[in-house]
mmCIF file of all heavy atoms in Angstrom:
data_model
loop_
_atom_site.group_PDB
_atom_site.id
_atom_site.type_symbol
_atom_site.label_atom_id
_atom_site.label_comp_id
_atom_site.label_asym_id
_atom_site.label_seq_id
_atom_site.Cartn_x
_atom_site.Cartn_y
_atom_site.Cartn_z
ATOM 1 N N PRO L 145 2.173 10.685 9.370
ATOM 2 C CA PRO L 145 3.108 9.686 9.885
ATOM 3 C C PRO L 145 2.785 8.294 9.349
ATOM 4 O O PRO L 145 1.639 7.955 9.086
ATOM 5 C CB PRO L 145 2.884 9.746 11.401
ATOM 6 C CG PRO L 145 1.557 10.378 11.584
ATOM 7 C CD PRO L 145 1.335 11.259 10.407
ATOM 8 N N VAL L 146 3.829 7.515 9.200
ATOM 9 C CA VAL L 146 3.678 6.131 8.745
ATOM 10 C C VAL L 146 3.475 5.264 9.975
ATOM 11 O O VAL L 146 4.242 5.337 10.929
ATOM 12 C CB VAL L 146 4.937 5.671 7.972
ATOM 13 C CG1 VAL L 146 4.843 4.203 7.624
ATOM 14 C CG2 VAL L 146 5.123 6.515 6.733
ATOM 15 N N ARG L 147 2.445 4.439 9.952
ATOM 16 C CA ARG L 147 2.209 3.490 11.040
ATOM 17 C C ARG L 147 3.084 2.255 10.862
ATOM 18 O O ARG L 147 3.518 1.670 11.827
ATOM 19 C CB ARG L 147 0.743 3.083 11.090
ATOM 20 C CG ARG L 147 -0.169 4.193 11.549
ATOM 21 C CD ARG L 147 -1.557 3.677 11.825
ATOM 22 N NE ARG L 147 -1.598 2.536 12.704
ATOM 23 C CZ ARG L 147 -1.728 2.578 14.033
ATOM 24 N NH1 ARG L 147 -1.813 3.742 14.628
ATOM 25 N NH2 ARG L 147 -1.771 1.490 14.741
ATOM 26 N N ALA L 148 3.275 1.851 9.630
ATOM 27 C CA ALA L 148 4.127 0.695 9.333
ATOM 28 C C ALA L 148 4.617 0.835 7.909
ATOM 29 O O ALA L 148 3.897 1.330 7.053
ATOM 30 C CB ALA L 148 3.334 -0.601 9.480
ATOM 31 N N GLU L 149 5.832 0.418 7.664
ATOM 32 C CA GLU L 149 6.351 0.404 6.306
ATOM 33 C C GLU L 149 7.124 -0.887 6.114
ATOM 34 O O GLU L 149 7.925 -1.271 6.960
ATOM 35 C CB GLU L 149 7.249 1.604 6.030
ATOM 36 C CG GLU L 149 7.687 1.653 4.568
ATOM 37 C CD GLU L 149 8.309 2.973 4.186
ATOM 38 O OE1 GLU L 149 7.614 4.005 4.282
ATOM 39 O OE2 GLU L 149 9.472 2.963 3.801
ATOM 40 N N VAL L 150 6.821 -1.552 5.008
ATOM 41 C CA VAL L 150 7.434 -2.833 4.692
ATOM 42 C C VAL L 150 7.974 -2.741 3.274
ATOM 43 O O VAL L 150 7.322 -2.183 2.395
ATOM 44 C CB VAL L 150 6.383 -3.971 4.775
ATOM 45 C CG1 VAL L 150 6.970 -5.291 4.352
ATOM 46 C CG2 VAL L 150 5.796 -4.062 6.169
ATOM 47 N N THR L 151 9.151 -3.300 3.054
ATOM 48 C CA THR L 151 9.713 -3.376 1.712
ATOM 49 C C THR L 151 9.804 -4.829 1.306
ATOM 50 O O THR L 151 10.316 -5.657 2.063
ATOM 51 C CB THR L 151 11.106 -2.726 1.661
ATOM 52 O OG1 THR L 151 10.994 -1.358 2.054
ATOM 53 C CG2 THR L 151 11.694 -2.795 0.263
ATOM 54 N N LEU L 152 9.255 -5.129 0.139
ATOM 55 C CA LEU L 152 9.354 -6.469 -0.426
ATOM 56 C C LEU L 152 10.406 -6.467 -1.518
ATOM 57 O O LEU L 152 10.472 -5.534 -2.318
ATOM 58 C CB LEU L 152 8.015 -6.901 -1.047
ATOM 59 C CG LEU L 152 6.847 -7.130 -0.101
ATOM 60 C CD1 LEU L 152 5.578 -7.381 -0.898
ATOM 61 C CD2 LEU L 152 7.134 -8.313 0.806
ATOM 62 N N GLU L 153 11.221 -7.502 -1.545
ATOM 63 C CA GLU L 153 12.228 -7.675 -2.591
ATOM 64 C C GLU L 153 11.709 -8.714 -3.574
ATOM 65 O O GLU L 153 11.241 -9.780 -3.156
ATOM 66 C CB GLU L 153 13.551 -8.141 -1.985
ATOM 67 C CG GLU L 153 14.140 -7.185 -0.963
ATOM 68 C CD GLU L 153 14.649 -5.902 -1.565
ATOM 69 O OE1 GLU L 153 15.026 -5.904 -2.753
ATOM 70 O OE2 GLU L 153 14.671 -4.885 -0.844
ATOM 71 N N GLU L 154 11.787 -8.399 -4.860
ATOM 72 C CA GLU L 154 11.243 -9.295 -5.878
ATOM 73 C C GLU L 154 11.860 -10.690 -5.822
ATOM 74 O O GLU L 154 11.146 -11.690 -5.947
ATOM 75 C CB GLU L 154 11.462 -8.685 -7.260
ATOM 76 C CG GLU L 154 10.775 -9.432 -8.369
ATOM 77 C CD GLU L 154 10.879 -8.693 -9.695
ATOM 78 O OE1 GLU L 154 11.794 -7.880 -9.872
ATOM 79 O OE2 GLU L 154 10.017 -8.949 -10.552
ATOM 80 N N ASP L 155 13.173 -10.765 -5.615
ATOM 81 C CA ASP L 155 13.806 -12.077 -5.603
ATOM 82 C C ASP L 155 13.489 -12.881 -4.341
ATOM 83 O O ASP L 155 13.758 -14.070 -4.288
ATOM 84 C CB ASP L 155 15.316 -11.982 -5.831
ATOM 85 C CG ASP L 155 16.016 -11.033 -4.875
ATOM 86 O OD1 ASP L 155 15.343 -10.362 -4.085
ATOM 87 O OD2 ASP L 155 17.255 -10.965 -4.930
ATOM 88 N N GLY L 156 12.879 -12.260 -3.338
ATOM 89 C CA GLY L 156 12.470 -12.977 -2.130
ATOM 90 C C GLY L 156 10.970 -13.220 -2.063
ATOM 91 O O GLY L 156 10.476 -13.810 -1.112
ATOM 92 N N TRP L 157 10.234 -12.788 -3.080
ATOM 93 C CA TRP L 157 8.778 -12.902 -3.079
ATOM 94 C C TRP L 157 8.341 -14.220 -3.715
ATOM 95 O O TRP L 157 8.753 -14.549 -4.825
ATOM 96 C CB TRP L 157 8.156 -11.746 -3.854
ATOM 97 C CG TRP L 157 6.684 -11.906 -4.119
ATOM 98 C CD1 TRP L 157 6.112 -12.270 -5.302
ATOM 99 C CD2 TRP L 157 5.609 -11.701 -3.207
ATOM 100 N NE1 TRP L 157 4.745 -12.300 -5.178
ATOM 101 C CE2 TRP L 157 4.403 -11.971 -3.902
ATOM 102 C CE3 TRP L 157 5.528 -11.334 -1.872
ATOM 103 C CZ2 TRP L 157 3.155 -11.857 -3.301
ATOM 104 C CZ3 TRP L 157 4.293 -11.230 -1.277
ATOM 105 C CH2 TRP L 157 3.126 -11.481 -1.979
ATOM 106 N N THR L 158 7.532 -14.938 -3.006
ATOM 107 C CA THR L 158 6.848 -16.106 -3.540
ATOM 108 C C THR L 158 5.377 -15.873 -3.289
ATOM 109 O O THR L 158 4.966 -15.634 -2.148
ATOM 110 C CB THR L 158 7.304 -17.398 -2.831
ATOM 111 O OG1 THR L 158 8.717 -17.535 -2.986
ATOM 112 C CG2 THR L 158 6.618 -18.610 -3.412
ATOM 113 N N ALA L 159 4.579 -15.913 -4.348
ATOM 114 C CA ALA L 159 3.145 -15.677 -4.196
ATOM 115 C C ALA L 159 2.545 -16.713 -3.248
ATOM 116 O O ALA L 159 2.838 -17.905 -3.362
ATOM 117 C CB ALA L 159 2.456 -15.746 -5.551
ATOM 118 N N PRO L 160 1.722 -16.262 -2.318
ATOM 119 C CA PRO L 160 1.057 -17.207 -1.415
ATOM 120 C C PRO L 160 0.184 -18.178 -2.204
ATOM 121 O O PRO L 160 -0.330 -17.849 -3.270
ATOM 122 C CB PRO L 160 0.196 -16.300 -0.526
ATOM 123 C CG PRO L 160 0.793 -14.943 -0.651
ATOM 124 C CD PRO L 160 1.376 -14.877 -2.026
ATOM 125 N N GLU L 161 0.022 -19.370 -1.657
ATOM 126 C CA GLU L 161 -0.776 -20.393 -2.336
ATOM 127 C C GLU L 161 -2.259 -20.315 -1.991
ATOM 128 O O GLU L 161 -3.048 -21.094 -2.507
ATOM 129 C CB GLU L 161 -0.223 -21.780 -2.013
ATOM 130 C CG GLU L 161 1.157 -21.985 -2.608
ATOM 131 C CD GLU L 161 1.697 -23.384 -2.387
ATOM 132 O OE1 GLU L 161 0.940 -24.269 -1.946
ATOM 133 O OE2 GLU L 161 2.879 -23.580 -2.667
#
Side-chain angles (χ1 to χ4, degrees):
V146 174
R147 290 190 52 92
E149 185 167 299
V150 176
T151 301
L152 292 173
E153 300 290 333
E154 188 173 23
D155 54 355
W157 170 257
T158 302
E161 293 184 10

